[in-house]
Amino acid sequence: MDAPSGSSDRATFIAAEAVNNQFGGLTLEERNHSVQNPKSYGAISGSSSSASELVNYLEDFTVDKSTYCRAKIRATFYPKFENEKTDQEIRTRMIEMVSKGLATLEVSLKHSGSLFMYAGHTGGAYAKNSFGNIFTAVGVFVLSRMFREAWGTKALEKEAEFNDFLETNRMCVSMELVTAVLGDHGQRPVDDYVVVTAVTELGNGKPKFYSTSEIIAFCRIWRLPTNHVWLFSTRKSVTSFFAAFDALCEEGIATSVCRALDEVADISVPGSKDHVKVQGEILEGLVARIVSSGSARDMENVLRDHPPPTCDGANLALGLSLREICAANRCNEEQQIRALLTSVGPSFCPSDLDWFGDDSVESHSKNADKSVITKFLESQPADYTTSKLQEMVRLMKERRLPAAFKCYQNFHRANDVSPDNLFYKLVVHVHSDSGFRRYQKEMRNMPGLWPLYRGFFVDINLLKANKGRDPMAMESIDKAVKDAGENCGQQGKDGLDDADANLMIKLKFLTYKLRTFLIRNGLSVLFKEGPASYKVFYLRQMKIWGTSDGKQKEICKMLDEWAAHIRKKCGNKQLSSSLYLSEVEPFLEQYAQRSPKNQGLIGSAGNQVRAEDFLAIVDGDLVEEGDLVKKERGTPATPEPAVKKAVQKDGGLIVFFPGIPGSAKSALCKELLNAPGGLGDGMPVHSLMGDLVKGKYWPKVADECRKMPQSIMLADKNAPNEDVWRQIEDMCRRTKATGVPVVADSEGTESNPYSLDALAVFIFRVLQRVNHPGNLDKSSSNAGYVILMFYHLYDGKNRKEFEGELIERFGSLVKIPLLRSDRSPLPVPVKSILEEGIDLFQLHSRRHGRLESAKGTYAVEWTKWEKQLRSTLIANSEYLNSVQVPFESAVQQVREELKRIAKGEYKPPSSEKTKHGSITFAAINLPVTQVHSLLEKGFSSYQLAVSNPTMRSFLEGKKKSIEEKLERAHVTLAHKRSHGVAAVARYGQHLNREVPIQLTELIFNDNMAAFTAHVGSVDGETIVCKNEWPHVTLWTAEGVTAKEANTLPQLYADGKASRMVIDPPASVSGPLEFF
């Protein structure tokens, strides 16, 4: 039977046979009875091989011509694409595409929880980068609970159908798992729940992700929770959306945001879980993405064909809740997991092997990782999907992307295991966003490369040809799969190119960021470094966000009070980030009660859910979306950089060097110190060489700066990380000095601000040195290793990110010219020896951390590499000398830049970060010069200022006051306090368009004066003003607010104001803007 071709019908077809039949369900009592008698766990019953033999099978498995591999994606979330455009560029492109009818903008709520994926009872349950832990146990329990609530007495039957359906069709359902037992986010949820965010078909080739309309159809068939979604398919609606967000970004809560978006959207589909009722008013944010232009039509069809389902279990006793189970099992994580899985029952959890494995075999071994991946890549692919997955893994390893490939025994296939037929689960864990960015660049060069997914789990089967399908049969069958997969991929683009199809932007609200980014993420700074450093931390964050000045003042006052309160209560014992809301909620509640302004700042407070009673026990610290970070690897919260407008000529300078040994900083400092006339501003120049300072270096620099605040300090030591940068920022704040980073110029790589060319020169220079004060010279046996260690301290940032962060933190950046632009490429032997060293360093650091190279497992390899490094660089010394910019020229250029900074003449380059402040009202902004001209020089055929005696008398008396006060003139169209957010937002489609205005009369008295304004049209559409009296306020007396000018027409009617008609009307114009 062929599936229907229509997108809305296809989801119905997929689930119809499994759902539409009406079965007689077990009673809830029968179900509870079955739940209390779970299947026996811990053994692989009926297995043809004992579990203890599995590792030996792998060791004995050899790859030869008869070896094949079959790999299939088992679970995955959407691909992660890093937009290279700024937020403003993304907005502009989104508006342009919707305006031209090329696409629709889809917006959904961002529930604050963790990623959870479910692929059926044997397919498995997964968190973002892991499985078989407390996160997935909680996820399975909550998903089962959703079925009980939705289906009531038929739940057990429907659970079995659902699991069979996922297994048969090889599908994965991704959800946002929102609970109070896995640690605090922005607000403890009222209830524990999931919301479906993606449905994926994994059966043939490349994963096929359902459209949102298909997801809603799927969820309504199975009665799964859906998210709130809005569609914007016209220019008016899409511009109104962005304006609505900007109006609410600093004060939005779930109720106000949903109300505003409901008013401006073309289609609004409420979620089956009301955010206010299940999570609360604190809303993390919105996710906006481009979808096909036919999405609105598809959504309308789905809503027509699939009405919201009933909730049959709403009034039934559903057994112990998640919080009750966790509260009753507080001994350890294993006890909680077992209790949760036992409560779930056999449909969702027929076996707990994914969580506990088997006692007779170690389910995960580092040796197995390397061995499985090696054999996987060496084997012949049994099908097209396997070849594409091999291509992905091979490329990631060859490009040394920051990713781990962890392999585990697949106990669900234990019955099928034999010496020539092995089964594993592969977890692809990308460690940083730079990995996704670099992979995305590779995709542009290799159009057929599959995307790199978030939450990426693969089933691997290593086999001999006689144990699987015939290779020829595999090839012929798989051609259809390949063609189908490629065709499906083309159809999924909906006519959009890759850059546009992946346009997405996340928009977060200040009420959420206040709690998470400023309070929770600042706990480490507050308790370890004190209130002063904490203030620097949160001010920097707000500057990065572009928080309005007024809101910054409000937050500063509140956070200073919070810091004093919690330090007094907790002393030096840091508050747990997993339970921080236990202290924050009561504080915010009492703070909000003091005034309406405070209430607006906080948004909502007072949720007294006590997570201490039931918090899940996790072996490690909690981070977002289900990742676990072991405690020994925990790092203090690092503040985001603040954007400085320019370097001020006030106080001294602290010149420092975020570089690598060999970048010539000491030689440069010596030249600057001895330069005649210093830096030309009269300030004394001092230098402090790190290699000659005993004890801690940066506190010594701070002492010197305090002693000589009006001087230039050359901090002659590498400053390679953000911890040092924060110390320098603190020095600058305390001494009113300006920090000036000086870096060697380089193109960098995708993940490091320094290129291999620069690294080669740095090492070459170090190996030319003799008698270095720091003992890093040609006599150092491990010089190469030490420089690689410094090089890797910058890993994770490309050059643009590196320079941008320094500019944002310190307001300036000086570059030391290093390499000639006309140089020839780096010789292959030099490039190869450096890449070999980088690979060796990564192996060493993963196993030994920062242990010296001579003491680890790879000591012999390091010795050999250091020797080869020296011989290679010596052999290429002529090249390495020729590509360097002459040192004298480099010194001169740096000196000139520092002179400009010392004189206050330096203007920093743009950091390319666009900020969106909070919108309060929409208005037509009139040039003040036009208004002055109208008043003083006349307009058209008359002179207003002298044509009326009363007017002349008024102007003569108020002329000076008007000139002083009239700095801005505008016609207010709508104010969000008076007319609502949606009313303001709807002007977004005309943003920055020139609007004609006719001034028809002047009404005035001794306290104020204003012109009556008639607003014109744009492109034939009249701009309607929401104010009862459209006007331009000209002047108000001392103590009179501009808002009071609204009363002038009534005052005139009461004989308390004068009016002068302007005939003919005066014409002015100005752009429509948001304020």
Side-chain angles (χ1 to χ4, degrees), residues 26-33 35-36 141 144-156 159 311-322 324 343:
L26 295 176
T27 65
L28 191 61
E29 289 75 16
E30 291 172 320
R31 178 201 170 105
N32 287 339
H33 178 73
V35 169
Q36 297 304 317
F141 178 90
S144 175
R145 187 85 170 189
M146 297 296 99
F147 268 82
R148 300 187 201 186
E149 291 180 3
W151 292 100
T153 56
K154 297 173 68 175
L156 187 61
E159 284 183 4
C311 188
D312 295 343
N315 298 317
L316 298 179
L318 302 178
L320 294 177
S321 69
L322 171 66
E324 290 170 333
S343 300

Side-chain angles (χ1 to χ4, degrees), residues 678-754:
L679 295 180
D681 67 333
M683 282 194 292
V685 181
H686 305 275
S687 180
L688 201 60
M689 189 175 188
D691 294 319
L692 300 178
V693 172
K694 295 181 180 180
K696 294 184 177 181
Y697 176 79
W698 294 107
K700 180 67 173 175
V701 172
D703 290 340
E704 294 297 316
C705 290
R706 279 192 291 270
K707 294 176 184 176
M708 299 174 288
Q710 297 292 324
S711 66
I712 299 174
M713 168 59 70
L714 305 177
D716 184 5
K717 184 179 178 66
N718 288 304
N721 55 44
E722 295 174 354
D723 180 58
V724 173
W725 300 350
R726 282 170 41 219
Q727 292 184 58
I728 296 170
E729 285 179 297
D730 187 57
M731 293 179 215
C732 294
R733 182 179 59 80
R734 293 175 183 276
T735 63
K736 296 184 179 180
T738 296
V740 183
V742 179
V743 301
D745 198 6
S746 172
E747 300 92 342
T749 69
E750 292 98 337
S751 62
N752 197 294
Y754 293 102

